[in-house]
Amino acid sequence: MLPGVAAVATLAFTWVSVTQASEELTISEQGQIADRLDKAMERLDNGSANIRRGAIFSLQGIMEDSPRQQPAVLYTLSEYIRGHATKKSSTTGKAPDIQAALSVLGQRDPAHDGDRPIDLRGVRLTGVDLHRADLSGANLAGAVLSHGNLEGTKLSGADLHGATLTGTNLKGADLAGANLSKGVLNDAVLTEANLSQARLQSAQLKAADLEKADLRGATLHHTDLREADLLDVRLDGADLTRVRRPEGDLPTSTPTTPTPAPSPSLSPTTGSPRPTDLQNAAP
């Protein structure tokens, strides 16, 4: 029995040692992540744009290595962008650090956002490049993103209330369920964009390109669609109350035409309907 007891004791000791070592490693890794986070946040205040840009990519690495830190990183980067791009209109070409921060936000895994969505309210950025970025659920209320590239961008459920996207490329963008009420999208390119169930009350879409866009179930109450290209647009179930465009010019869903009942044929001798035809004719 003694060798068996010794073996069990050895296994128990090994298990305790491995568990303790694993816990110590986790604590050490968490400490390293915390140190990296502190250093990156300190470098965000540096006077050099290149150093700030490096700090932003460090935050991206932290977010990837420790998904539990993602909400904190999203908050930090959102604050950074708003602090540098809300007072006056900026171009990301002259602000590579802001473009880097936007790219990091757009490349994140939304599954780890927690209860802290991307908050870019009131940012003023022209010519921003966010093509194919994932900004679903983001708060972009009052943002100015004119003449930007948002082709294929995911903005489903995003808050774009009062946002300005004049001349912005939103081709193939996913805006399903987004709030675009009172938004300015004049001359915007929205070909093949998904705007199903989107809220577009009092939005301005004058001369916008909506060819093959999906607007099923969207709310377009008081929306300005003058001169907009609505070729092959899908409007089934959309609310077009008081939309600003000639009603006869709006595309409508094609109603199903019922098959007419066969007309009874006349008897060649009397000119009256045949009895069998009267019986078979639909009422």
Side-chain angles (χ1 to χ4, degrees), residues 23-24 42 91 108 150 230-231 256 267:
E23 291 176 351
E24 291 176 352
E42 287 177 4
T91 57
R108 83 204 186 289
L150 277 72
L230 298 175
L231 181 64
T256 302
S267 170

Side-chain angles (χ1 to χ4, degrees), residues 58-79:
S58 294
L59 289 171
Q60 182 180 29
I62 293 169
M63 188 166 56
E64 293 172 350
D65 294 340
S66 179
R68 62 184 295 181
Q69 296 293 337
Q70 181 161 309
V73 172
L74 295 184
Y75 177 80
T76 299
L77 292 180
S78 295
E79 287 272 305

